[in-house]
Amino acid sequence: MEYRLIFKALADENRMKIVQILLKHSMCVRSLSKKLGITQAAVSQHIKVLREAGLLKGEKRGYFMHYEVDREVLRALAEHIYALADAEKAGECHSCHGNCHHEKEEK
């Protein structure tokens, strides 16, 4: 799983809104367009980015594709973030040999 792609996809405000909406209801591009107040073409582009990141999956219903969030991908992202937060600190900076500007500011 490429977490970089997921973070990049979620960094856009409209894409984040799309994810939040789709967590509550599966929707087609047209409905998302009306709800967000942006064009269907813009929604389609956002959907493309979210799908490439693995965050969305689609299901054809009649003439329309309905999208929903792949919650397993979202859970894996959450676990990755927790692992980052729980990473042990390896130590202090060794390249400055005690002359780090941060140490000078603290004194």
Side-chain angles (χ1 to χ4, degrees), residues 7 23 47 56-57 65 70 75-76 87 93 95 99 106:
F7 284 121
L23 282 167
I47 294 283
L56 298 185
K57 47 190 175 177
M65 182 71 79
D70 187 335
R75 285 185 186 101
C93 177
S95 63
N99 295 318
E106 291 176 8

Side-chain angles (χ1 to χ4, degrees), residues 23-47:
L23 282 167
K24 296 175 185 167
H25 310 281
S26 65
M27 287 188 172
C28 64
V29 169
R30 185 175 180 187
S31 295
L32 285 165
S33 172
K34 288 180 180 179
K35 190 149 184 91
L36 293 168
I38 60 177
T39 66
Q40 289 183 41
V43 171
S44 292
Q45 287 300 310
H46 289 307
I47 294 283

Side-chain angles (χ1 to χ4, degrees), residues 4 11 18 23 34 54 58 70-71 78 107:
R4 180 187 59 80
I18 290 169
L23 282 167
K34 288 180 180 179
D70 187 335
R71 291 174 185 267
K107 292 183 180 178

Side-chain angles (χ1 to χ4, degrees), residues 3-103:
Y3 295 111
R4 180 187 59 80
L5 288 176
I6 298 170
F7 284 121
K8 191 173 179 180
L10 293 174
D12 181 86
E13 184 179 349
N14 282 319
R15 288 194 289 267
M16 189 64 177
K17 286 179 185 177
I18 290 169
V19 168
Q20 289 171 329
I21 291 166
L22 294 178
L23 282 167
K24 296 175 185 167
H25 310 281
S26 65
M27 287 188 172
C28 64
V29 169
R30 185 175 180 187
S31 295
L32 285 165
S33 172
K34 288 180 180 179
K35 190 149 184 91
L36 293 168
I38 60 177
T39 66
Q40 289 183 41
V43 171
S44 292
Q45 287 300 310
H46 289 307
I47 294 283
K48 179 183 176 199
V49 173
L50 291 165
R51 288 191 77 171
E52 287 173 353
L55 283 163
L56 298 185
K57 47 190 175 177
E59 178 185 332
K60 187 92 167 164
R61 295 185 197 160
Y63 293 108
F64 300 99
M65 182 71 79
H66 285 249
Y67 296 96
E68 62 183 46
V69 176
D70 187 335
R71 291 174 185 267
E72 291 305 312
V73 171
L74 214 50
R75 285 185 186 101
L77 177 63
E79 288 176 20
H80 179 70
I81 291 170
Y82 276 115
L84 287 172
D86 289 341
E88 292 291 324
K89 188 174 177 183
E92 300 299 325
C93 177
H94 297 288
S95 63
C96 62
H97 304 290
N99 295 318
C100 184
H101 71 278
H102 293 294
E103 289 179 11

